[in-house]
Amino acid sequence: MRLWLDELVLLWRQFTWRHWRTAPWKTLLLTGILALGVAVFFSIRLANRAAVAGFQLFSENVTGTSDYVLTSAAGELPISLLPEMRSALGDIPAGLFPVLESTAITPTAGMEGFAAMSFQVIGVDLAALPNIAYLSGEGDFATPGTSERTAEPEVGEEPALFISKTLASKQEWKEKDRVSLVIDDQVRACVIAGILPGGDFEVQQPDNLIVMDLPQLQAITSQSDRLHRVEVRVPAGHWETEWREEAGERLRAAGEGRWLVETPDQRRGTGSTMTQAFRLNLSILSCLALIVGVYLILQALEAAVVRRRPEIATLRALGVSPKCIRQAWQVEALAMGALGALIGLLLGWGMAQLTVRAIAQTVNALYYSNTTAAAGWHWGEAFMAGSLGILASGLAGWLPAKEASQTPPAQILQRGTRSDGLRVLTKPWVGVALLIMAGLTHFSPPWRSADGTSIPLAGYASAFLWVAGAGVLCGTLFGLLARLGTALSDNRPALFYASSQLRQATGRHRLATAGLVVAVAMAGGMSILVGSFEQTVTRWLDSVMKADLFVACQGIGNASSRNRLHESTWRALKEEPAVANCEVSQFYRIRLDGKPTILAGVDLKESVGSLAPIWLEAPPKDLAEVPGKTWGVMSEPFAYRFSKAVGDVVNVPTPQGTQTITVVGIFADYGNEFGSLVVEREALSQWFSDERAARMAIALREGTDLSAIQAEWLQRYPGIVVTNNRELRGEALRIFHQTFAVTHGLKWIGVFVALAGLALALASMLVERQHELTTLRSLGLVHREIGRLAAWESLGLAIAGLVTGIALSLVLGHLIIFVINRQAFGWTLLFKVPWVDLAILTGGVLAISALVGYWTGSRVGKA
């Protein structure tokens, strides 16, 4: 063992480190490319984790971590259930902390109010907060209702706010300051009654937290008889575990059908589940640069095997075993991977700070409130990303190590410096087999998690197989390109020479081209996805946005906004003389079969065409023939998510009990991935005892001055947003482009890495052909002409990569749109090939390849 280790160390010093030391820039370039792949993956993972961490249970910042959270499966909890909850606990000395949530924003003019960053307002019983000291084992228990309130300033009738330290610092608010906030559709003058002392809390305070006394928040939101949840906490001490388990059993038994019982971990998991498909797609995309990096390390190590053949032969002749040589190569690959992973982790942490805002904004617009502005370091994610980089480098080094150890010394010395390289790349049948396997898995069903989330694992596997197979087959184009180049090479010696090199292509030719195939295919596939999605969304917006004006509360662009239009407001707007017709809508997040979805109510009978959906299955014209009392229509994601079809019955939980809805139609919807079930608003209002509205779509009378009406309503109702068709379409497309901003960055990083690998491959091959270049120089070629022949060779590789990559991008585009996207989100998109984008990609790759080849050849030609 000791002798083997000494031999390995000696080989590292004399066989590996010596080459690293004599070519430091090349080594740094390789490790840098691997580091970039690790950095991209790590940064996206950190940003995703930070966005999920932003899903805060805001009441925990006041009550500490609760043992259970009681919620309703639909809408809010009636406050009348509190005595029953208390009774269900019996003699267990647990504390109940009722919570009401709302949303507030600072008054904002124009479209800025649509997606303005909101504050999360929670109403809690401030009189009960002293009981927390007892429950956490830090003080004496005070019976609810007998404890003295914490000191409050005399603020009259103004709502009193308690804000987090981070919010006070961010907004420069101080105690006794008076501020204006929009809550629901009203601008309210509030007073800062106190700053929450962060040191007394068990979790970090979010920077958008506002706490109010529960009765006060109930009064200003007209929800005096409702709660959003009830936090349950048992006292710390010897019996804590037994009390907690017993409390959970009792509450579940008593609350069946009336309230849900969850632990805080289950609640936190909701944020992760909601964004699971979105984050998984980003994580897989972030592997693009790492996959291309694997090709480049494989290429570089294969080149090193060729360059060091005489040394390998000498070592074999001196008795060094093939096993030891193979291990030396593996150690070199792993060392390169470790160095690249270390650099990548540091770089990735910095990149995460740049990407986290874009991801957080997308999550905020589509899923839940999120104020994440920075990504923290996470050792678990660092270990995963670092291990992935080292593993990738190790796998890339395995085949060259095997090649180096298996060739006998005599053959090594006879074959010289040229080599076919990795034999697998010279066997087209391998590529064909991989493509057949890709086709077989192309339409395989998704994997469904325990919570029902659909994950297209087979789709991702199919994409990998398509890429791998195309990477093997791309080398078959070299012969065709060589013949074409030879035919066109009259009076073009540089083209003739480049064609001869393609005719006897080495492993590095194939590997460099395969890396380019991966990058071009993924970049083209992402362009097809974005182009198809944009065309689909544009058509959808044309269909659903036909009203003249759209009215909602400020901050409605945030997915978790709870602001609603009061009944008095929307009825007053509906009676305006300029209004010809209007459509009032409301929606509630509910849980159906344990999965979140949306139950919406729309004035379908009074529709002004603002919700004229793209019907996938249109409802019958005579709805009187539909069996059952209540009918509804569902979105395509709802149908896919819950496996429902037209004619099926859906049993929906509501505060008035389970309601039976017969589905009569399916419409296309791209507003959310959770699915929507739409019924008449009047029925929904009765079920939830709530006449508030989420938004209004208004058709004005002919001849009405739209701009004047818009300005007048904004002045009379400063807590609302009044947008016209053009403004709302623009905001929707802005959110769309924001969602795909990270995707564009990832695809161009992959292309950059592939082109860097092309330059590296050319430099390596030209150095190895130094004796040929010396002969050419003796025949009168100057470094510029050598640069031209290298440019032609580089263009040949780029053309092979582009032809294969563009063809593969069409296949991947189909796979992403009709398989992965369908299985992950339940959306059917129109297929559009953005030929202009693909032409720009093609032209850019060809131009950069020619420049890279010319620059590389010129530099080597001067040597």
Side-chain angles (χ1 to χ4, degrees):
M1 178 68 181
R2 173 75 181 181
L3 181 62
W4 168 82
L5 186 59
D6 289 343
E7 186 180 36
L8 199 60
V9 170
L10 181 62
L11 283 177
W12 163 259
R13 288 172 54 191
Q14 299 299 326
F15 191 64
T16 300
W17 176 245
R18 179 169 59 85
H19 288 281
W20 282 23
R21 193 174 62 250
T22 55
W25 291 110
K26 183 177 180 181
T27 303
L28 287 175
L29 178 60
L30 276 175
T31 54
I33 288 172
L34 181 66
L36 182 59
V38 172
V40 170
F41 180 80
F42 186 46
S43 66
I44 294 297
R45 295 287 300 180
L46 284 183
N48 281 339
R49 178 173 288 273
V52 171
F55 182 70
Q56 296 284 349
L57 299 179
F58 290 93
S59 64
E60 291 186 0
N61 292 276
V62 178
T63 66
T65 302
S66 302
D67 294 299
Y68 296 103
V69 181
L70 310 183
T71 59
S72 173
E76 293 82 34
L77 287 167
I79 200 169
S80 59
L81 289 178
L82 275 175
E84 296 184 47
M85 295 174 181
R86 178 68 267 176
S87 177
L89 288 170
D91 57 354
I92 298 176
L96 296 179
F97 299 92
V99 176
L100 182 69
E101 293 186 18
S102 187
T103 306
I105 68 172
T106 53
T108 308
M111 281 300 296
E112 292 182 5
F114 182 85
M117 181 57 64
S118 60
F119 307 125
Q120 297 299 307
V121 184
I122 63 169
V124 294
D125 186 359
L126 296 179
L129 291 187
N131 295 332
I132 301 171
Y134 164 76
L135 294 170
S136 61
E138 298 174 357
D140 297 325
F141 181 76
T143 304
T146 64
S147 59
E148 295 184 0
R149 286 179 178 269
T150 55
E152 295 181 18
E154 297 180 2
V155 295
E157 297 299 322
E158 295 176 321
L161 311 179
F162 296 85
I163 63 176
S164 64
K165 285 186 175 181
T166 50
L167 179 57
S169 174
K170 187 176 180 179
Q171 297 291 332
E172 298 183 351
W173 289 343
K174 302 181 295 297
E175 283 194 40
K176 304 294 182 70
D177 281 357
R178 279 162 172 75
V179 299
S180 294
L181 293 177
V182 176
I183 300 178
D184 281 342
D185 58 2
Q186 303 295 315
V187 178
R188 300 186 179 274
C190 307
V191 65
I192 307 299
I195 309 297
L196 298 174
D200 294 342
F201 299 97
E202 297 184 3
V203 294
Q204 181 183 3
Q205 299 174 16
D207 61 6
N208 64 342
L209 173 66
I210 295 177
V211 176
M212 293 181 63
D213 199 14
L214 177 62
Q216 199 168 42
L217 183 59
Q218 287 176 318
I220 65 177
T221 58
S222 302
Q223 299 184 85
S224 58
D225 59 343
R226 297 173 193 169
L227 300 169
H228 282 111
R229 64 178 178 271
V230 176
E231 305 274 342
V232 182
R233 189 170 180 182
V234 300
H238 180 73
W239 298 101
E240 180 180 0
T241 302
E242 289 79 0
W243 280 337
R244 183 185 300 114
E245 293 176 355
E246 180 66 20
E249 292 177 3
R250 293 185 182 184
L251 288 169
R252 290 187 183 94
E256 187 173 355
R258 293 184 297 168
W259 63 73
L260 301 176
V261 182
E262 293 180 301
T263 65
D265 286 342
Q266 290 171 329
R267 291 273 291 174
R268 294 187 192 98
T270 301
S272 178
T273 300
M274 289 170 68
T275 59
Q276 188 174 46
F278 169 73
R279 293 180 294 108
L280 181 62
N281 281 337
L282 277 184
S283 294
I284 290 177
L285 277 178
S286 66
C287 291
L288 173 60
L290 191 59
I291 293 173
V292 178
V294 169
Y295 275 106
L296 302 189
I297 292 174
L298 189 58
Q299 163 193 300
L301 291 178
E302 195 269 345
V305 169
V306 175
R307 287 197 310 273
R308 302 182 205 173
R309 281 188 182 278
E311 297 180 32
I312 296 172
T314 302
L315 291 172
R316 292 290 306 278
L318 292 175
V320 178
S321 67
K323 179 181 179 181
C324 195
I325 291 176
R326 183 172 64 251
Q327 289 172 343
W329 281 104
Q330 284 288 171
V331 168
E332 181 171 352
L334 292 173
M336 189 179 298
L339 180 60
L342 178 61
I343 298 172
L345 293 178
L346 297 176
L347 180 61
W349 182 83
M351 292 174 64
Q353 313 313 313
L354 302 177
T355 58
V356 67
R357 289 181 182 271
I359 292 176
Q361 288 173 0
T362 299
V363 169
N364 190 61
L366 301 179
Y367 299 101
Y368 50 75
S369 179
N370 197 295
T371 60
T372 303
W377 183 273
H378 190 273
W379 286 108
E381 298 291 356
F383 177 79
M384 177 187 292
S387 300
L388 192 61
I390 295 173
L391 178 64
S393 184
L395 290 175
W398 181 77
L399 288 173
K402 184 179 178 182
E403 291 282 328
S405 63
Q406 288 184 343
T407 307
Q411 292 185 24
I412 292 175
L413 292 175
Q414 289 174 1
R415 290 174 64 180
T417 59
R418 295 196 71 91
S419 169
D420 289 334
L422 303 177
R423 295 187 181 92
V424 68
L425 296 177
T426 63
K427 298 176 180 178
W429 67 266
V430 174
V432 172
L434 289 171
L435 295 187
I436 292 174
M437 293 171 61
L440 293 176
T441 57
H442 194 96
F443 294 104
S444 299
W447 174 80
R448 292 189 180 273
S449 61
D451 60 4
T453 302
S454 176
I455 306 296
L457 294 182
Y460 294 126
S462 178
F464 174 79
L465 291 170
W466 281 114
V467 168
V472 174
L473 289 175
C474 66
T476 59
L477 293 177
F478 291 152
L480 176 62
L481 290 173
R483 288 192 294 273
L484 180 62
T486 302
L488 299 175
S489 62
D490 291 342
N491 300 320
R492 296 186 183 90
L495 178 57
F496 181 83
Y497 178 83
S499 300
S500 69
Q501 298 302 317
L502 292 178
R503 188 176 294 109
Q504 48 184 344
T506 67
R508 264 139 308 137
H509 285 95
R510 294 182 173 88
L511 283 170
T513 306
L516 191 59
V517 166
V518 175
V520 169
M522 293 305 293
M526 288 301 101
S527 294
I528 292 173
L529 170 63
V530 174
S532 300
F533 215 135
E534 185 168 19
Q535 175 179 268
T536 305
V537 168
T538 301
R539 179 187 171 191
W540 174 64
L541 292 176
D542 289 339
S543 173
V544 301
M545 293 185 182
K546 294 183 177 179
D548 297 314
L549 292 177
F550 298 86
V551 178
C553 296
Q554 291 196 23
I556 194 65
N558 294 321
S560 60
S561 173
R562 295 184 181 273
N563 280 345
R564 294 294 184 267
L565 296 167
H566 285 263
E567 182 181 4
S568 59
T569 301
W570 68 259
R571 288 197 183 278
L573 290 172
K574 186 176 181 179
E575 298 301 323
E576 285 285 325
V579 175
N581 203 349
C582 79
E583 177 183 294
V584 181
S585 60
Q586 174 62 303
F587 67 88
Y588 297 92
R589 292 183 180 271
I590 65 172
R591 293 194 192 182
L592 192 61
D593 298 335
K595 293 178 282 189
T597 189
I598 293 173
L599 180 62
V602 178
D603 290 334
L604 297 175
K605 296 176 183 177
E606 302 179 20
S607 175
V608 297
S610 64
L611 186 64
I614 300 173
W615 290 110
L616 303 179
E617 292 189 48
K621 294 182 179 180
D622 187 3
L623 292 171
E625 299 179 0
V626 177
K629 293 183 178 180
T630 307
W631 57 268
V633 294
M634 61 183 174
S635 67
E636 182 187 19
F638 185 96
Y640 181 80
R641 187 174 172 85
F642 296 97
S643 301
K644 296 295 182 181
V646 170
D648 286 351
V649 171
V650 183
N651 295 315
V652 177
T654 74
Q656 300 298 323
T658 301
Q659 304 295 328
T660 300
I661 300 171
T662 302
V663 178
V664 298
I666 303 176
F667 61 93
D669 180 36
Y670 305 96
N672 69 81
E673 68 194 64
F674 309 116
S676 300
L677 183 62
V678 182
V679 298
E680 279 287 350
R681 189 192 60 81
E682 289 183 1
L684 193 69
S685 297
Q686 293 175 5
W687 298 341
F688 287 81
S689 302
D690 187 3
E691 289 293 339
R692 298 176 302 160
R695 57 180 65 91
M696 301 175 69
I698 296 174
L700 299 176
R701 297 187 186 278
E702 189 174 349
T704 303
D705 187 338
L706 186 148
S707 298
I709 290 293
Q710 188 175 2
E712 180 187 345
W713 288 0
L714 285 173
Q715 185 175 9
R716 286 166 50 191
Y717 303 96
I720 66 175
V721 177
V722 183
T723 60
N724 58 43
N725 201 301
R726 177 181 56 81
E727 291 172 334
L728 192 57
R729 282 172 54 86
E731 180 64 20
L733 291 175
R734 183 194 67 80
I735 293 174
F736 169 82
H737 290 297
Q738 170 189 295
T739 302
F740 285 100
V742 177
T743 301
H744 286 297
L746 292 177
K747 74 178 185 181
W748 286 115
I749 286 176
V751 174
F752 165 76
V753 170
L755 291 173
L758 186 61
L760 186 67
L762 280 173
S764 174
M765 289 183 288
L766 289 172
V767 168
E768 291 170 13
R769 300 201 300 261
Q770 191 67 52
H771 64 284
E772 296 181 13
L773 299 181
T774 301
T775 303
L776 292 174
R777 282 197 297 267
S778 66
L779 294 175
L781 267 69
V782 297
H783 67 276
R784 294 188 183 87
E785 292 170 310
I786 294 176
R788 280 196 291 273
L789 65 88
W792 279 113
E793 186 173 351
S794 179
L795 277 172
L797 301 181
I799 291 172
L802 280 168
V803 170
T804 309
I806 295 297
L808 181 59
S809 71
L810 299 176
V811 177
L812 292 181
H814 183 278
L815 177 68
I816 293 170
I817 291 171
F818 295 110
V819 179
I820 293 176
N821 179 76
R822 170 74 174 163
Q823 293 179 358
F825 302 108
W827 294 329
T828 297
L829 304 179
L830 302 173
F831 188 81
K832 178 186 178 182
V833 179
W835 295 111
V836 174
D837 289 351
L838 294 183
I840 293 173
L841 175 65
T842 300
V845 169
L846 289 175
I848 295 173
S849 298
L851 290 174
V852 164
Y854 181 81
W855 179 80
T856 304
S858 297
R859 286 184 60 87
V860 174
K862 290 180 180 179

